[in-house]
Amino acid sequence: MRSHNVLWARWNLSRVSLKTNCHPSRPQHETVLTAFASAPLPTKLFDDVTVLETSPRDRLHNVNVRFILFERAQPKQLPIDFAATFRLKMLNYIQLIATPTADTLGTCLLLHFDNRRYLFGNIAEGTQRAIVQRNIGIQKVEDVFLSGLINWRNAGGLLGIILTLADTLAGKTEAIQSQNEERQKKGKRLTEIVKPRIGIHGGKNIAYVLATARNFIFRKGLPLNLHEICDDPRSMKQDTSEPDWKDPNINVWYMPIQPSTHSPASPKKRTHEEFTGASEKRSKYATTFSTSDRGKDLVHTIVAQMFDSDWKMDALIETTLYKAELPAKLFIRDEKGHIQPYSGPLPGSGEEVPDIPVLVRQPWPGAMINSLPSTKPSIQSMCYIVKSHDRRGKFNPKAAQDLGVVKTDYKFLTEGQNVVGKDGVVVTPEMVLGETVPGNGFALVDLPDASYIDELVHRKEWSDEKMMKGIQVIFWILGDGMKDDSRLQKFMQRLSPVKHIVTSKDSCPNMIALESVAAQAFKLRCVDPDRFPLPVFDNEVSISNTPTTNTSPVYEIGRTGKAVQFSPRYLHQDDKITPFPDIEKLARENLSNEVLEMARQAKAKVSDPEFLAKIEEVESDIPHRDAEIITLGTGSALPSKYRNVSATLLRVPGCGNYLFDCGENTLGQLRRVFGNDLPKILRELKGIWISHLHADHHLGTASVIKAWHEETSNSRPSAKLLVASHSGMIRWLTEYADVEDFGMNRLITADFRPLDAKRSRSRILPPLIFTKEKTEMFGLKQVDACYVHHCFGSMATVFTFPTGLKVAYSGDCRPSYTEFVEIGKGATLLIHESTFDDELRGDALAKKHSTMSEAIEVGRRMGARRILLTHFSQRYQKVPLVEENLEIRPGAEDGDEVILVAFDYMRVKLGDFRKAQAFLPTLQKLFQNAEDDE
């Protein structure tokens, strides 16, 4: 519980430890023996807090408390200066920034005011990357309004957007602080720092979705105002015309829609089993809660703590060696009182262990919540009506002059205040201002399927004249096959003065939404057509394979870039529609004759019979030379124009397909690479490995699993999918399965951990060894893993196949010259992160990544036959600087080491690494020319 005056209590078995800052004269800590050590907590005394009773596991986790009190999160709305609102006159428009394509599955709109921006619609995977591609600034976005159902299809990009907004707003605050320091030195007036906030508006389960990310999403000092709409505001208000939310620019009415077949269940309190999660998988992570009816409050409190906690990463707390939960980094104080790492024996190791005080890092509040109270999928689809405030009419200076108003008083009249004119006459704003300009705006209607139509068309908002006055356009986000439904057509015609703009998976063209990387792919294809395919697209067909050239007299099909201006005058701006990109034209701008000649020479080299014979001789012992590696995402941290975040697909004929990490929009990358062949790729998917719980490595997992689940439910209903990772990843999937059925019950999960954490110091984890039956199911013989230095739970892995093929994958890490090299000895292929070039080794050390030379050295110590470098810093937008000699090394033991650099969409077979390497000098020259021209 956090406030100006804080009093919090720790209930343990024998005493109460009180800490207070209410009275400076009182000692900071005092211990009071109590008779209430085992008494129930009087929860009725705490109206404004959420009470969590910790589990025994929590108490082992250095949290020697029975109850934790959290200040209950409450959405806050800043006061509105309506006088200022009345006089606002600025540019105001709404624009489609994403429509359904393979790159961007959802529809997203940006509402622009000069002083603020708003996002409406779906924040699907790929939305953030589309924003980068369109060069759309989101620095002024402070509120996000999610439409439709709360599921991963509609909200899979929300976590990434929140992180970007959080970092952007924090950067703005830091800039103001820096400016204030300079102003203070010069004696100038300081700029007021307003604590930034982000508002998230959405339907039922939006808080739950955010709370599932508590183990990998954390920001400080950025309050998140969460507006979760669980009930219909119209049924709860007498004055239905009153907006549900407003700020200085807009009024917003929430409009949740239920399917017509839905009958609300009678309200009841959840049972203990429902609250803690009764399923076998959920019980594995269960936490005991004090009162089940406070589950919703707890979830909201967790979300608030995720973005506005005062927790410090470097804070250490004292416990004893026997009480510390292992594995954990332990510290002790030496004779001088200096903190040093503890390297002595551990409990259970068989050695004598002293029961000494040790220091451990204080877990951040979210990590102390093992599981969330259960929820169930919501069938509520959120829609919105949005209008600007009324604006004052045009000021008439002649009328003011005739009334004897002095010019210095003009501003007061424009602000809605009375002034005194000649002869003491009171002059009101109405006497000098033209007719008030009523607010105008739009509606956003999101209907997942036809069962939502009847309730939508009979909503009373449409007949509310006050609410609908000024609504100029309705944006429709529709499910497949709905746009020509007779009920919707009739409804649109009934509101014929209103313009209707429709977007859907079966109506919008599957155009290239990310033209920068597509143009790069075309350039690469001109150099090496066998390794670099063009991304699949069609400007006349949707991603549902339906034609998009048909037109309707009732509505228009929404296109990316389409804008509707509301102020200073209402105007449809079709000239802002993004044209279908001419990829070849974009690509050939920097494609010189010199590069094309170098490419021709490389093609001649790889076609030379002598060269091919040498490859056959050297590579004859490599198993599965037909195995193919497709690098879907090769960038780090966040998506950019040229590189998506981490994902690598391995295809092993006769065994299956395997994903190593699955960053946001991996499914979109798969669609672009495979097009209509994607169903086959999904049917053959056997396993997914997630290296660690950083958002850029796993936020695409749920959508890939769901796509696999939907594709195989009919063709192979008994099929299982292996998901191997840290226990935190499995917990996230398990919790998210409460929000939607994405196929969790068809997963075989493997979370790697030591057999006995308290005894083992080994960073090599027990392997996953497959039985004959499991090998037939997943195509694997063994999966090995070891901890690596990056973040908590980061692991590298080695997949071994029955044929002897051995593929090692590093994930993110500092080079592991011991454990990873040991489990990867004799690897056929090493896929290793290469975030920084060698000049930035200091950055690599600080951020726990590897340089290019360090990654190559790991491969050499392994004896890896092939090395593929990936996960480049986004500062290397097109190609990283490769200074390593990539030819066969003289004197090498086997003379057969080949190193390649990965690009998005690249496809290379194990047996083609040498061919691909022959084109590397051409690629370096290609991008050197491109950089010189920029």
Side-chain angles (χ1 to χ4, degrees), residues 79-321:
I80 299 173
D81 180 355
F82 284 102
T85 298
F86 186 74
R87 67 176 181 266
L88 284 176
K89 187 175 183 180
M90 62 182 79
L91 181 63
N92 167 216
Y93 63 85
I94 189 164
Q95 185 171 33
L96 280 163
I97 59 175
T99 56
T101 68
D103 298 313
T104 53
L105 195 57
T107 297
C108 185
L109 302 103
L110 179 77
L111 179 61
H112 172 106
F113 284 81
D114 290 341
N115 63 341
R116 195 171 296 183
R117 314 283 192 270
Y118 311 81
L119 290 176
F120 281 87
N122 309 144
I123 310 296
E125 293 181 58
T127 301
Q128 181 177 190
R129 197 176 183 198
I131 288 172
V132 173
Q133 179 65 65
R134 303 267 76 81
N135 291 318
I136 296 171
I138 59 172
Q139 297 88 342
K140 293 185 179 180
V141 171
E142 295 183 16
D143 283 276
V144 178
F145 296 82
L146 278 167
S147 70
L149 302 173
I150 295 300
N151 57 25
W152 205 255
R153 181 189 178 280
N154 293 337
L158 179 63
L159 293 171
I161 284 285
I162 290 176
L163 287 175
T164 299
L165 289 175
D167 293 342
T168 299
L169 293 173
K172 287 169 62 177
T173 301
E174 290 175 5
I176 295 173
Q177 290 173 339
S178 178
Q179 292 170 4
N180 279 345
E181 290 176 4
E182 295 299 319
R183 286 174 171 272
Q184 191 171 24
K185 292 177 183 177
K186 298 176 181 179
K188 293 184 177 181
R189 183 179 178 183
L190 302 185
T191 303
E192 181 184 2
I193 297 178
V194 179
K195 193 172 186 179
R197 295 177 179 271
I198 297 177
I200 304 295
H201 309 249
K204 184 176 182 295
N205 281 340
I206 183 59
Y208 192 94
V209 170
L210 295 174
T212 63
R214 64 194 179 280
N215 286 310
F216 57 89
I217 299 290
F218 175 76
R219 289 294 185 273
K220 295 171 64 176
L222 187 75
L224 191 146
N225 288 347
L226 192 58
H227 306 265
E228 183 171 17
I229 301 93
C230 298
D231 301 303
D232 189 344
R234 304 285 82 73
S235 64
M236 303 167 61
K237 290 184 177 181
Q238 291 183 349
D239 182 3
T240 59
S241 298
E242 182 67 20
D244 304 310
W245 184 87
K246 56 190 173 185
D247 75 351
N249 293 329
I250 58 175
N251 296 302
V252 179
W253 290 265
Y254 302 138
M255 191 163 56
I257 308 293
Q258 300 281 355
S260 56
T261 55
H262 171 65
S263 56
S266 58
K268 66 181 183 70
K269 289 187 178 181
R270 283 178 286 182
T271 64
H272 176 75
E273 289 75 16
E274 288 175 320
F275 191 82
T276 59
S279 71
E280 181 179 347
K281 288 187 176 181
R282 282 189 60 85
S283 65
K284 184 176 181 180
Y285 306 109
T287 297
T288 303
F289 296 95
S290 58
T291 52
S292 60
D293 57 349
R294 296 200 174 189
K296 180 181 175 182
D297 290 336
L298 175 63
V299 170
H300 279 251
T301 301
I302 290 171
V303 174
Q305 287 284 318
M306 288 168 62
F307 297 93
D308 193 26
S309 172
D310 56 3
W311 173 80
K312 295 181 179 179
M313 184 178 294
D314 56 357
L316 297 175
I317 58 175
E318 184 173 306
T319 183
T320 65
L321 192 53

